[in-house]
Amino acid sequence: MKVLEVRNMKKTFSLSRKQRAIEKTKETKKIAVNDLSFTAYPGEIYGLLGPNGAGKTTCLRAISTLIKPDEGDVFVDGFSVREDSYEVRKRIGFLTSELKLEDHFTPNYLFGYFARLHGLNEEETLLRRDELFGRFGIGDFQEVKVADLSTGMKQKASIAISLVHDPEFIIFDEPTNGLDILTAKSVTDYLVELKNAGKTVIVSTHILSVVEKICDRVGIIINGKMKWTDTMDHLHQSSETLEELFFRLFEESEGTL
């Protein structure tokens, strides 16, 4: 089974003087993720839910091999991000607002560039481009420079390019952040399609409604720690709503809202 497993991940960052001032702390280091563990399975969407600064993006960057955990490990289809980062990259598609498309290039050029990086031949590239550009309505804008695209079209182009190689593991960091309601729906609908196709999908968000709409399994992360993880079906059988559970856990961790 093609699972993605995070095992006891810990990641610490050094804080600059400016960062210490912003966070109102004298500490020179910050633990962004602390002993974090969870598993995501094929044919489901795992939602990593937490407030801004909870450690969600750090976790996804480690899964995607952009940074290495200080402790613990991540296994993607059995391959370690520490020992087999190249094999991990071949199997994942990663989308984050921190990685921008180059303004001076067009979606068509960038799609072809990343297709070649992933080893697709010309025929495979054309088939994949037609499928994804058609799905997201990019065709009429494929020769428009990224700088001249709308925010929603940039996001759609980013999604298409991140999935050029048809990966089995989809990792999206705040995929609907800043999008209008129509574009956001097209993105969440596509994530459900990927799940139904048997992909393993991980989505980080701070938006409760997104989790309730598309996620099968949820992990609530606060201050870098996993406070709760289970299926939405089990939660629906309990006396708490997702919102009530989240704010209860937040209050227990922070002491106040």
Side-chain angles (χ1 to χ4, degrees), residues 2-48:
K2 294 180 179 296
V3 301
L4 189 155
E5 185 179 5
V6 177
R7 294 185 191 171
N8 308 111
M9 183 199 296
K10 183 176 182 180
K11 183 63 181 178
T12 302
F13 293 104
S14 297
L15 294 176
S16 66
R17 182 178 299 178
K18 182 178 180 180
Q19 289 171 322
R20 294 199 298 271
I22 292 173
E23 299 203 11
K24 298 179 180 178
T25 180
K26 294 181 180 179
E27 299 293 330
T28 59
K29 294 185 180 294
K30 178 180 179 178
I31 301 175
V33 174
N34 193 356
D35 196 28
L36 194 71
S37 297
F38 67 89
T39 304
Y41 298 93
E44 75 169 16
I45 298 177
Y46 186 100
L48 198 59

Side-chain angles (χ1 to χ4, degrees), residues 128-179:
R128 196 73 181 130
R129 185 195 65 188
D130 289 347
E131 176 188 350
L132 291 170
F133 281 20
R135 175 63 179 76
F136 288 109
I138 301 171
D140 291 341
F141 304 90
Q142 61 182 329
E143 297 300 344
V144 177
K145 287 184 178 181
V146 169
D148 298 324
L149 296 175
S150 67
T151 299
M153 191 55 65
K154 287 178 182 178
Q155 182 77 333
K156 291 177 181 180
S158 295
I159 292 172
I161 290 166
S162 69
L163 302 179
V164 61
H165 54 310
D166 195 20
E168 290 297 320
F169 298 86
I170 318 298
I171 304 162
F172 280 3
D173 187 15
E174 302 283 2
T176 62
N177 203 21
L179 300 182

